[in-house]
Amino acid sequence: MSDILTIADLKDLARRRVPKMFFDYADSGAWTESTYRANEEDFQKIKFRQRVLVDMSNRSLESTMIGQKVSMPVALAPTGLTGMQHADGEMLAAQAAEEFGVPFTLSTMSICSIEDVASVTKKPFWFQLYVLRDKDFVLNLIDRAKAAKCSALVLTLDLQVLGQRHKDVRNGLSAPPKMTLANIANIAVRPGWWMGMAGTKRRTFRNIVGHAKGVGDVASLSSWTTEQFDPHLSWKDVAWIKERWGGKLILKGILDKEDALLAANTGADAIIVSNHGGRQLDGASSSIMALEEIADAVGDRIEVHMDGGIRSGQDVLKALCLGAKGTYIGRPFLYGLGALGKEGVTKALEIIRKEMDITLALCGKRLVTDMGRDQLRR
Ligand SMILES: Cc1cc2nc3c(=O)[nH]c(=O)nc-3n(C[C@H](O)[C@H](O)[C@H](O)COP(=O)(O)O)c2cc1C
Ligand SMILES: O=C(O)C(=O)c1ccccc1
């Protein structure tokens, strides 16, 4: 563990421990992956101002996201199939986040169900909703998230059609995965992973199987999921979901200022400036480059969050400087989970916290909430 100092170290270890098809699923973007790469690379173009001889004692990373206290403004992003990076992955990641004091967001497309995660956590977590064609099933998900006392609904808007990630096609990643010789050989040499999987009953999309009509077993899943994404969605759907949910609502997948203004009109509590980690529209702008314009356009009308490409505490601070009140990490916690299970998720959060704390000090600030545009050199 002592040799793990960066998120990249966790990624290297995950690559060795997680079967290729699932590691690649996490580590891939749509088509040429240009947006996936830009998400990370564009952070490097932004530089801090270094300040000296100011009081750097008693620093604090505490903040709030949608009015909820967080030990640092870094939530775990919703990610599908998280329980395939490590057995019971969503339950472990939720526990790590809870202990750390940051929000965990459970995906509709998770392996562990809403009820599974609720059974191993004490504090409320957030639930991410895909609005699928089967509206009865969508209502069922909303009601189950309410029953589990989820404290925010994250409504994802950028997956009306599914972007293509070539690696998934090449690896035969479907539900259930194609058991080619290459996949079997790959799993065989990762005993830690498959022993974990053999020891849990949670190996399929448990929010869906047994809940959605026509999905009684795993065999029917693949065609069901691809058919269910709904190209008809409109802003009117946001209104009925907001009404039915009745709690805090976060709209995820905004990358354009016109859309940000429409989102602000819905009365939602926050938007997430996001391109789905470069997994949807290849060729779209990086999230960090879209952030400032969107933050300027909406002003104080709605809280602005962002995700995409955050690989260090420095990246988090840059996003805060450019107008985000909160951020999310996707792959960094997945790498931690694949590398070391729950401990690895905690490790990812600790790495980011330490980088944030030292950077904050060297920028001459004590409070993370004081980071603004004047902390950047432009
Ligand atoms: C493997 C994987 C699965 C994802 N699944 C979902 C999902 O089910 N729902 C969703 O809203 N976003 C999903 N996302 C997008 C993330 O919520 C988030 O926007 C993205 O990962 C942020 O970029 P980062 O991975 O560079 O931190 C997924 C991302 C990854 C990497
Ligand atoms: O992989 C994803 O990014 C995602 O959101 C998703 C979509 C369909 C099924 C599972 C996950």
Side-chain angles (χ1 to χ4, degrees):
M1 264 283 252
S2 57
D3 52 347
I4 293 182
L5 300 175
T6 64
I7 298 297
D9 293 337
L10 287 171
K11 180 174 178 176
D12 287 343
L13 191 53
R15 193 192 297 277
R16 283 182 266 141
R17 298 217 166 154
V18 178
K20 181 174 166 21
M21 71 177 132
F22 296 117
F23 177 83
D24 280 355
Y25 166 69
D27 183 33
S28 59
W31 288 333
T32 70
E33 302 191 333
S34 71
T35 298
Y36 176 28
R37 284 191 299 277
N39 274 349
E40 295 182 27
E41 286 166 7
D42 285 353
F43 272 110
Q44 305 308 317
K45 299 176 186 156
I46 301 167
K47 303 293 175 197
F48 293 109
R49 283 174 64 200
Q50 168 181 299
R51 301 299 310 275
V52 298
L53 300 183
V54 293
D55 185 1
M56 298 172 184
S57 62
N58 298 322
R59 295 183 299 280
S60 171
L61 300 180
E62 272 181 25
S63 188
T64 59
M65 290 170 76
I66 53 164
Q68 299 176 13
K69 223 172 144 180
V70 291
S71 63
M72 62 182 188
V74 184
L76 302 193
T79 52
L81 282 82
T82 302
M84 285 293 142
Q85 301 298 318
H86 189 285
D88 298 338
E90 291 90 356
M91 291 156 72
L92 300 178
Q95 289 177 321
E98 174 172 65
E99 286 162 24
F100 207 91
V102 296
F104 170 78
T105 318
L106 183 72
S107 164
T108 290
M109 297 297 171
S110 55
I111 301 295
C112 303
S113 66
I114 299 175
E115 293 78 13
D116 292 331
V117 174
S119 74
V120 297
T121 51
K122 291 180 213 77
K123 293 185 214 146
F125 56 96
W126 294 356
F127 180 67
Q128 175 265 331
L129 183 70
Y130 276 128
V131 184
L132 303 170
R133 283 186 201 250
D134 180 347
K135 296 297 176 289
D136 286 338
F137 177 56
V138 172
L139 294 176
N140 164 276
L141 284 171
I142 294 175
D143 292 346
R144 286 163 61 201
K146 272 197 210 176
K149 306 215 161 24
C150 291
S151 57
L153 189 73
V154 175
L155 182 62
T156 300
L157 308 177
D158 60 4
L159 211 132
Q160 282 179 259
V161 296
L162 189 61
Q164 181 171 311
R165 304 111 196 205
H166 294 320
K167 286 177 194 148
D168 292 349
V169 180
R170 295 198 170 108
N171 289 332
L173 189 79
S174 50
K178 289 201 180 68
M179 278 301 141
T180 58
L181 270 181
N183 284 341
I184 292 167
N186 207 270
I187 289 171
V189 295
R190 286 164 173 82
W193 182 90
W194 65 254
M195 278 169 16
M197 285 297 164
T200 180
K201 59 181 192 286
R202 302 178 193 89
R203 289 192 293 256
T204 185
F205 293 106
R206 282 165 62 88
N207 280 331
I208 299 171
V209 176
H211 293 278
K213 202 165 129 238
V215 204
D217 59 28
V218 182
S220 44
L221 255 176
S222 231
S223 55
W224 184 87
T225 36
T226 39
E227 281 161 17
Q228 278 294 324
F229 291 103
D230 188 351
H232 298 103
L233 289 180
S234 75
W235 289 99
K236 287 197 188 112
D237 293 290
V238 176
W240 70 257
I241 287 160
K242 183 173 187 295
E243 168 88 27
R244 176 80 176 211
W245 166 248
K248 296 273 184 188
L249 180 67
I250 301 174
L251 301 179
K252 176 171 187 282
I254 302 283
L255 207 61
D256 187 277
K257 71 173 180 196
E258 305 279 331
D259 286 338
L261 290 168
L262 293 167
N265 288 341
T266 64
D269 298 276
I271 54 172
I272 310 178
V273 175
S274 173
N275 50 36
H276 212 102
R279 298 163 73 81
Q280 283 294 100
L281 178 60
D282 187 37
S285 155
S286 68
S287 302
I288 191 65
M289 286 305 157
L291 174 64
E292 190 171 17
E293 185 181 75
I294 290 177
D296 281 343
V298 300
D300 290 336
R301 293 179 57 203
I302 189 165
E303 200 166 295
V304 177
H305 300 171
M306 79 79 72
D307 75 20
I310 291 174
R311 298 294 177 268
S312 72
Q314 294 217 327
D315 295 341
V316 173
L317 291 179
K318 287 171 183 176
L320 300 183
C321 287
L322 290 172
K325 173 82 176 152
T327 64
Y328 300 73
I329 50 170
R331 296 177 185 88
F333 96 81
L334 293 177
Y335 299 146
L337 186 66
L340 296 162
K342 178 179 166 187
E343 235 183 302
V345 178
T346 304
K347 188 78 194 170
L349 289 166
E350 282 170 355
I351 288 168
I352 287 174
R353 176 169 63 193
K354 187 168 181 189
E355 290 164 341
M356 279 176 76
D357 179 54
I358 294 175
T359 305
L360 188 68
L362 295 175
C363 286
K365 288 286 174 190
R366 293 174 46 240
L367 304 179
V368 78
T369 46
D370 280 349
M371 290 297 273
R373 283 185 207 178
D374 54 350
Q375 257 55 65
L376 298 179
R377 195 185 155 88
R378 330 193 81 188

